[in-house]
Amino acid sequence: MSAVTHLKSLFKEQYNPENFFLIAGPCVVEDEALLFHVAEKVSAICKRLNIPYIFKASYRKANRTSINSFSGVGDVEGLDLLQKTGQAFNLPVTSDIHSAAEAAMAAAYVDVLQIPAFLCRQTDLLLAAGETGKFVNVKKGQFLSGEAMKFAVEKVKQTGNDKILLTERGTTFGYQDLVVDYRNIPIMQEHKVPVIMDCTHSLQQPNQSSGVTGGNPKMIGTIARAAIATGADGLFIETHPDPSCAKSDGANMLHLDLLEGLLEDLVRIREAIRK
């Protein structure tokens, strides 16, 4: 069975093979009120536009520039809030894991295990994620080509799990910027898995001097529109009701109030390219 076929079981009544799917939510679990607010608003938008939706928030941020950066409310507490959000709004949920030991623990709470880009070559992590039987979304490393991601796919498949997603999130360009090579979308689709465009992390601007990663959120719409026009199966968009006050990656997130208009545009683009 292909990963595309498996998507029906993930989305249940939300499944719509004619449209792209969306992974969206705040960067990190801050508190229950934030998760419920974002999930309620985004799920209502997606139901209206017939977009299958996965709620996302990181229960822990392990890859931080500074020791002073917020990393989470606690692993079990964060995972419990994610599960509670998914149950409250009947949504599949996803979060990233950072070590093999985390895979089974997180799999008890979430539907999709996300592998961070910096860790996409970690064999023990990929195998542990695959062995849970959950969907595994592997983000392409900023240092890898789309062709090279076939090895990540092979590692997960080695466990007997073919519920695999791949995410494009930009390629390192100099020391403090990323650039998106849209050729990677059809190239990674050749691995016979759905391919997602990360529209927010692909705009990160790592800052080695201040310890705070920057971004260019004004370009999120541009990245998203180009990805849909290129044939991406899904989009990843981190969103927050007040990015300026977010505890992690506020410089990269889309303001929640701007999401609905963007998704409306993207649905029209999707319809146009499918004619």
Side-chain angles (χ1 to χ4, degrees), residues 117-130:
F118 282 126
L119 301 176
C120 68
R121 285 167 47 94
Q122 297 298 108
T123 301
D124 59 343
L125 177 59
L126 292 169
L127 293 178

Side-chain angles (χ1 to χ4, degrees), residues 67-86:
I67 190 66
N68 298 315
S69 297
F70 179 77
S71 60
V73 297
D75 290 358
V76 174
E77 294 86 348
L79 285 166
D80 187 62
L81 286 173
L82 277 170
Q83 184 180 60
K84 188 175 180 180
T85 303

Side-chain angles (χ1 to χ4, degrees), residues 17-265:
E18 299 301 314
N19 210 352
F20 61 89
F21 60 89
L22 177 68
I23 302 175
C27 178
V28 67
V29 173
E30 297 180 18
D31 55 44
E32 181 180 307
L34 172 67
L35 300 191
F36 273 44
H37 176 64
V38 175
E40 181 177 29
K41 183 162 185 176
V42 179
S43 61
I45 294 169
C46 287
K47 285 179 182 177
R48 182 176 71 80
L49 297 177
N50 204 13
I51 300 171
Y53 174 42
I54 302 170
F55 180 81
K56 181 271 171 187
S58 297
Y59 69 88
R60 174 157 54 88
K61 299 300 292 184
N63 179 24
R64 301 285 81 193
T65 302
S66 170
I67 190 66
N68 298 315
S69 297
F70 179 77
S71 60
V73 297
D75 290 358
V76 174
E77 294 86 348
L79 285 166
D80 187 62
L81 286 173
L82 277 170
Q83 184 180 60
K84 188 175 180 180
T85 303
Q87 292 172 344
F89 297 95
N90 195 29
L91 297 171
V93 296
T94 184
S95 193
D96 31 5
I97 59 174
H98 316 89
S99 69
E102 292 180 44
M105 175 186 70
Y109 296 87
V110 305
D111 304 282
V112 182
L113 297 174
Q114 180 177 288
I115 308 300
F118 282 126
L119 301 176
C120 68
R121 285 167 47 94
Q122 297 298 108
T123 301
D124 59 343
L125 177 59
L126 292 169
L127 293 178
E131 287 166 356
T132 67
K134 297 285 184 171
F135 273 85
V136 181
N137 177 22
V138 188
K139 287 196 169 185
K140 182 186 75 64
Q142 302 92 321
F143 44 85
L144 288 179
S145 67
E147 290 91 345
M149 289 302 290
K150 69 179 180 180
F151 300 110
V153 172
E154 289 172 357
K155 289 175 183 179
V156 178
K157 283 188 174 181
Q158 184 67 28
T159 68
N161 185 348
D162 61 355
K163 294 185 285 187
I164 305 165
L165 311 169
L166 292 179
T167 294
E168 164 63 31
R169 54 97 73 227
T171 302
T172 299
F173 185 73
Y175 288 105
Q176 293 178 318
D177 208 353
L178 298 167
V179 65
V180 177
D181 181 351
Y182 286 96
R183 293 176 300 177
N184 282 322
I185 292 175
I187 286 171
M188 291 196 292
Q189 286 171 333
E190 292 177 2
H191 305 322
K192 307 301 181 185
V193 298
V195 174
I196 301 155
M197 180 71 230
D198 185 337
C199 303
T200 44
H201 289 100
S202 61
L203 291 166
Q204 281 184 333
Q205 295 172 331
N207 191 311
Q208 292 85 13
S209 58
S210 72
V212 179
T213 296
N216 189 3
K218 291 181 179 180
M219 297 296 291
I220 291 172
T222 299
I223 297 293
R225 292 181 181 93
I228 294 301
T230 311
D233 301 287
L235 297 177
F236 178 108
I237 301 175
E238 288 189 338
T239 184
H240 194 284
D242 188 359
S244 65
C245 294
K247 293 185 177 181
S248 177
D249 278 0
N252 297 300
M253 284 192 278
L254 182 71
H255 196 292
L256 186 58
D257 289 344
L258 300 177
L259 182 64
E260 185 168 14
L262 174 59
L263 292 176
E264 289 173 343
D265 286 350

